[in-house]
Amino acid sequence: MITVSNVSLRFGDRKLFEDVNIKFTPGNCYGLIGANGAGKSTFLNILSGEIEAQTGDVSLPPDHRMAVLKQNHFEYEQEQVIDVVIMGHQRLYDVMKEKDAIYMKPDFSDEDGMKAAELEGEFAEMNGYEAESDAAVLLKGLGINEDLHHKKMEELTGGEKVKVLLAQALFGNPDVLLLDEPTNHLDIEAIQWLEEFLINFENTVIVVSHDRYFLNKVCTHIADLDFGKIQIYVGNYDFWYESSQLALKMAQEQNKKKEEKIKELQNFVARFSANASKSKQATSRKKMLDKIELDDIKPSSRRYPFVHFKPNREIGNDLLQVEGLSKTVDGVKVLNNVSFTLNKDDKVALVGVNEIAKTTLMKILMGEIEPDNGTFKWGITTSQAYFPKDNSKYFENGNLDLVDWLRQYSPEDQTETFLRGFLGRMLFSGEEAKKKANVLSGGEKVRCMLSKMMLSGANVLLLDEPTNHLDLESITALNNGLINFKGSIIFSSHDHQFNQSIANRIIEIQEDGVFDKEITYDEYVELKTTAK
């Protein structure tokens, strides 16, 4: 159990949270959610002791151990992979190294023997003799093969290092496990393994994630950080979302009735206050009016952008024909004889282990690079809008504010009133619309790129990892916008729910062509799982 008592934190005049009182109990997985900037990662850092709260305290029973998913992928470059995992239980690792050092002494004394025996006893109590095999099981589950277990961390790829640090956090059955975005950079198989691990984990888990499917799968509770407080709800993310929307609607309807009552009273007072015969009645109603207080529906820190793609023209039946595309990038053949036909109403999820292959295909289809072999042809009724994974080149001009930035991509209406209204719906209201384009955060740039796409009126959308940098609210809005889009889509994403709810066709880029089938993402995952 981890107990949070009266914890508060401010940065200058900004209150992140105040007087937080929570108990996180064993056997439960808590999904910590909140808008970007609400303080989710900061709260995890307070729980782990990395940041000190201004008031209150966090307590853990003295015999309990906490493990934290580390974010510095270059912290252990000279260490062996298997050792890095065992370091997740620092005391066990220290005992292991200390007793090994004693045994290595050339002048082994009686005192050394007594110390070694003491360490051996402690080592056994911590299941130290199973440490290496337990670490190997975690690594294998996350997709790190045995041939890498005794290599140095510097020899691993970035994605492999992420998995090793995750295995480190999971190692040794910690009493409390803190995970900040644990599914980032994981493949399908690794995410599925992690889901099963956490479902079966008997101690306390607190996790921050933008992956709604993951939160639904593993969470028993949702810890909602909003209004500077943290409220615990029983259930997974979808249950929290539906119940919170219902509660808001009920509160709004209750206030609506009160507002109607107030309006009725105001009208009565206005009509009859000057009428002598009814002045007493008017006065009594005015007193009633003064007594009515609207229940405050606090403005949530959550803000949902309005994402709506409307094609300027209906799409025909002849959309896109791709024949035998091949492309080599940096000496590696990432596309090999890729062929497919895009049909009307297709919403295609591009999948595959090679990220560069998906990006390369989209760049070819948008005319940004040439294929080595093969051809593609867009239909004459089509118009395309593209969301690139790397959007930095669109924001290099530091002199443009957001109104002027968006004006470049607004072919019909370039008035400030229209552009400000459009930006407001994408959460750039008031002075935010005058921000300079080159100082935007990752999430703000994504919302700008989506605005650009919406203004294009295209009937075919190509999106390369559009959910990167977005908070849950913006992901939900984009998700719904693409579900409702009356055109065709080719997209790539690591968000399971995004893929499942949008795609009606899966194209997996393979080493010798493509796997292409009209199935849902869940059906595709099931095929991949049963094929192993």
Side-chain angles (χ1 to χ4, degrees), residues 252-387:
Q252 288 171 334
E253 286 178 352
Q254 183 66 25
N255 272 6
K256 185 179 179 183
K257 290 175 184 176
K258 289 189 176 182
E259 286 168 349
E260 289 171 355
K261 187 67 174 175
I262 287 173
K263 192 172 183 180
E264 177 188 329
L265 290 170
Q266 287 173 330
N267 289 338
F268 185 89
V269 170
R271 287 196 341 256
F272 298 110
S273 59
N275 187 321
S277 65
K278 295 196 176 184
S279 61
K280 287 183 179 180
Q281 196 176 359
T283 302
S284 74
R285 291 213 175 191
K286 190 174 188 306
K287 287 179 180 178
M288 288 172 61
L289 177 65
D290 291 337
K291 288 180 181 178
I292 291 179
E293 293 180 3
L294 289 179
D295 293 333
D296 289 331
I297 300 179
K298 295 179 181 178
S300 172
S301 57
R302 287 178 175 75
R303 300 163 69 198
Y304 290 82
F306 177 74
V307 180
H308 179 66
F309 301 97
K310 185 178 180 182
N312 288 337
R313 65 182 294 185
E314 189 175 344
I315 205 164
N317 292 320
D318 186 16
L319 271 69
L320 173 66
Q321 188 73 40
V322 176
E323 291 284 352
L325 287 185
S326 295
K327 182 69 177 178
T328 297
V329 177
D330 296 332
V332 178
K333 198 164 194 176
V334 295
L335 300 177
N336 184 13
N337 194 30
V338 171
S339 300
F340 64 91
T341 300
L342 186 66
N343 304 309
K344 188 176 181 180
D345 300 325
D346 274 351
K347 293 185 176 180
V348 177
L350 275 185
V351 299
V353 294
N354 192 330
E355 301 296 315
I356 297 172
K358 291 176 278 187
T359 297
T360 301
L361 177 59
M362 290 201 197
K363 284 184 175 181
I364 289 174
L365 296 179
M366 290 305 299
E368 291 193 359
I369 57 176
E370 294 288 329
D372 296 334
N373 300 104
T375 61
F376 69 95
K377 184 180 180 183
W378 287 103
I380 58 172
T381 64
T382 64
S383 56
Q384 302 84 39
Y386 176 44
F387 181 98

Side-chain angles (χ1 to χ4, degrees), residues 18-172:
E18 193 169 47
D19 297 331
V20 174
N21 292 279
I22 306 176
K23 285 184 179 179
F24 297 102
T25 56
N28 293 320
C29 178
Y30 298 85
L32 180 60
I33 63 171
N36 276 0
K40 299 184 295 295
S41 294
T42 302
F43 185 70
L44 285 189
N45 287 335
I46 288 175
L47 295 181
S48 68
E50 191 171 325
I51 294 176
E52 190 172 341
Q54 285 156 339
T55 67
D57 58 78
V58 175
S59 61
L60 193 68
D63 59 338
H64 279 40
R65 185 173 68 85
M66 178 183 289
V68 182
L69 174 59
K70 301 229 177 131
Q71 303 296 328
N72 183 359
H73 304 157
F74 303 101
E75 188 174 345
Y76 303 99
E77 292 293 85
Q78 298 306 310
E79 303 289 347
Q80 281 192 3
V81 167
I82 199 81
D83 286 344
V84 172
V85 177
I86 297 172
M87 286 177 193
H89 192 326
Q90 192 61 49
R91 179 57 188 163
L92 186 152
Y93 182 76
D94 291 344
V95 168
M96 181 175 74
K97 288 298 178 184
E98 188 178 353
K99 70 184 185 65
D100 287 350
I102 291 174
Y103 290 137
M104 294 282 287
K105 281 186 173 184
D107 51 344
F108 190 85
S109 66
D110 290 342
E111 188 178 339
D112 289 330
M114 291 174 65
K115 182 62 176 176
E118 182 184 320
L119 291 172
E120 289 286 7
E122 187 179 355
F123 192 63
E125 282 182 15
M126 293 185 289
N127 294 319
Y129 295 107
E130 288 81 44
E132 190 161 326
S133 61
D134 288 347
V137 168
L138 292 173
L139 288 168
K140 189 175 179 183
L142 288 166
I144 303 296
N145 294 329
E146 288 183 24
D147 59 330
L148 297 177
H149 291 188
H150 294 281
K151 288 185 180 295
K152 288 187 176 180
M153 285 286 282
E154 65 180 358
E155 300 178 66
L156 271 58
T157 66
E160 289 167 343
K161 290 176 184 177
V162 170
K163 292 180 177 181
V164 174
L165 292 183
L166 181 54
Q168 181 192 71
L170 303 180
F171 176 77

